[in-house]
Amino acid sequence: MEEIKVSPDYNWFRSTVPLKRIIVDDDDSKVWSLYDAGPKSIRCPIIFLPPVSGTAEVFFQQVQALTSWGYRVISLQYPVYWDLMEFCDGFRKLLDHLQLDKVHLFGASLGGFLAQKFAEYTHKSPRVHSLILCNSFSDTSIFHQTWTANSFWLMPAFLLKKIVLGNFAKGPVDPKMADAIDFMVDRLESLSQSELASRLTLNCQNSYVEPHKIKDVAVTIIDVFDQSALSLEAKEEMYKLYPNARRAHLKTGGNFPYLCRSAEVNLYIQIHLRQFHGTRYAAIDPAMVSAEELEVQRSHLSYNQDSEDNQ
């Protein structure tokens, strides 16, 4: 129970990478919490956006692995925003504050939807160079809750948590997936009523992605073949929306593959980011791009049979 919370890796992460709190709005109750690790000389890092139930910590294994290979990684947690435009405006101000012109975004579930909406919001003056969308969606109507979206702010925290937990895997899962679920339940417990209500509002208010506005953004779609909160229909819709996207399939991994299948997810992230090596949009320190690293990736690929590249 709660293996991840007491694991040496997690404790190392918590004791080594400082949590920063940044306010960019006039409202000083809107605080962005983030971990910023790796070489600060990198001006186009990869930024991780969590799902409804997640905090900035849920990507600690990505932060650890990617920074050890020379990448700059930022994992963040959003403040309370009730409207998608308000979120996008706040995120743009955060990037300005961090002096980041363009970024790569990895979004899980709601985080992936917000990443797409931000790419769309900034399409006239692009801030998103590429997207990795993990178990994500492009249209909120798939949750059939658009009619309740405006009432989440009234609901008590226990009820909101019950709604979120209803999407977690039920039935037998392997030990790593069970640990991931326990960890996410623990993270969910740490969120306030307003944090949870605002995220569910963003997740369910009537909205969809306009693909023509982000057609020039490189996309990788990561999804799982086993049980997750996303319907097959939602996955198919994503493939249709991004016909040129690379597809990375995991046989298993449930809702939180970045926690329970982190080695595979980290490999797919590396493969995605490798296309930008040697450009000004590289997320890695040029000195760390070594022949050995590429060799390691090739050997990983040879046994990773379910990798499918559509490009």
Side-chain angles (χ1 to χ4, degrees):
M1 180 68 176
E2 294 184 338
E3 285 293 313
I4 292 174
K5 215 167 90 168
V6 296
S7 69
D9 281 354
Y10 182 62
N11 287 326
W12 178 89
F13 168 78
R14 289 301 302 270
S15 61
T16 312
V17 186
L19 179 66
K20 296 176 181 170
R21 297 183 193 280
I22 298 172
I23 296 167
V24 293
D25 290 287
D26 297 334
D27 178 353
D28 62 8
S29 71
K30 294 191 182 303
V31 183
W32 291 83
S33 304
L34 57 96
Y35 296 97
D36 184 351
K40 298 295 177 283
S41 57
I42 299 299
R43 308 310 305 151
C44 190
I46 179 164
I47 299 183
F48 287 79
L49 305 174
V52 168
S53 54
T55 59
E57 286 90 352
V58 302
F59 299 112
F60 77 94
Q61 293 176 99
Q62 284 66 50
V63 175
Q64 262 182 317
L66 292 167
T67 53
S68 73
W69 293 320
Y71 289 93
R72 182 178 179 188
V73 182
I74 298 172
S75 180
L76 55 77
Q77 192 170 325
Y78 0 93
V80 172
Y81 289 119
W82 299 97
D83 174 79
L84 286 161
M85 290 303 106
E86 190 191 20
F87 165 83
C88 289
D89 191 50
F91 191 29
R92 181 184 53 76
K93 288 177 188 164
L94 178 71
L95 296 186
D96 291 346
H97 176 87
L98 295 170
Q99 298 180 309
L100 300 172
D101 179 34
K102 289 189 90 173
V103 293
H104 306 282
L105 297 179
F106 178 110
S109 192
L110 169 64
F113 181 67
L114 294 176
Q116 293 169 85
K117 292 303 285 182
F118 183 69
E120 182 190 295
Y121 174 80
T122 58
H123 78 281
K124 286 183 179 165
S125 176
R127 303 298 294 268
V128 179
H129 197 62
S130 77
L131 291 166
I132 304 175
L133 305 170
C134 179
N135 281 350
S136 197
F137 55 91
S138 58
D139 187 337
T140 58
S141 65
I142 60 162
F143 299 110
H144 309 298
Q145 284 192 304
T146 48
W147 57 278
T148 55
N150 293 331
S151 58
F152 286 129
W153 67 280
L154 289 165
M155 296 182 188
F158 80 89
L159 205 55
L160 296 170
K161 284 171 186 168
K162 200 173 166 187
I163 291 169
V164 176
L165 288 169
N167 289 317
F168 282 24
K170 294 170 184 66
V173 291
D174 68 51
K176 279 193 166 181
M177 285 170 72
D179 286 346
I181 293 167
D182 287 343
F183 185 69
M184 293 302 286
V185 169
D186 183 70
R187 296 293 81 217
L188 178 64
E189 289 298 329
S190 74
L191 296 173
S192 68
Q193 188 274 347
S194 58
E195 283 176 308
L196 212 41
S198 66
R199 291 179 183 198
L200 281 167
T201 302
L202 294 179
N203 198 86
C204 298
Q205 66 183 205
N206 201 10
S207 183
Y208 56 87
V209 175
E210 299 176 57
H212 62 281
K213 291 184 178 172
I214 47 178
K215 63 181 186 302
D216 298 327
V217 176
V219 177
T220 292
I221 296 172
I222 300 179
D223 55 21
V224 298
F225 283 148
D226 61 349
Q227 186 193 17
S228 76
L230 273 196
S231 66
L232 196 59
E233 181 193 5
K235 291 179 188 178
E236 294 294 340
E237 195 53 45
M238 288 290 282
Y239 302 151
K240 266 191 267 177
L241 209 59
Y242 301 107
N244 300 319
R246 295 177 173 201
R247 294 190 203 171
H249 299 305
L250 301 172
K251 285 179 189 159
T252 58
N255 287 319
F256 316 116
Y258 40 89
L259 277 167
C260 61
R261 302 289 185 267
S262 62
E264 289 169 78
V265 170
N266 294 346
L267 179 67
Y268 286 135
I269 295 169
Q270 274 183 289
I271 292 166
H272 173 88
L273 292 174
R274 196 198 298 169
Q275 62 191 303
F276 310 111
H277 287 6
T279 74
R280 58 186 284 248
Y281 303 114
I284 194 172
D285 178 351
M288 298 287 280
V289 182
S290 62
E292 294 96 309
E293 185 205 344
L294 298 180
E295 194 51 53
V296 167
Q297 291 174 344
R298 272 197 289 273
S299 62
H300 268 293
L301 276 176
S302 65
Y303 70 77
N304 213 320
Q305 299 282 298
D306 48 308
S307 168
E308 178 185 331
D309 190 334
N310 283 355
Q311 283 191 336

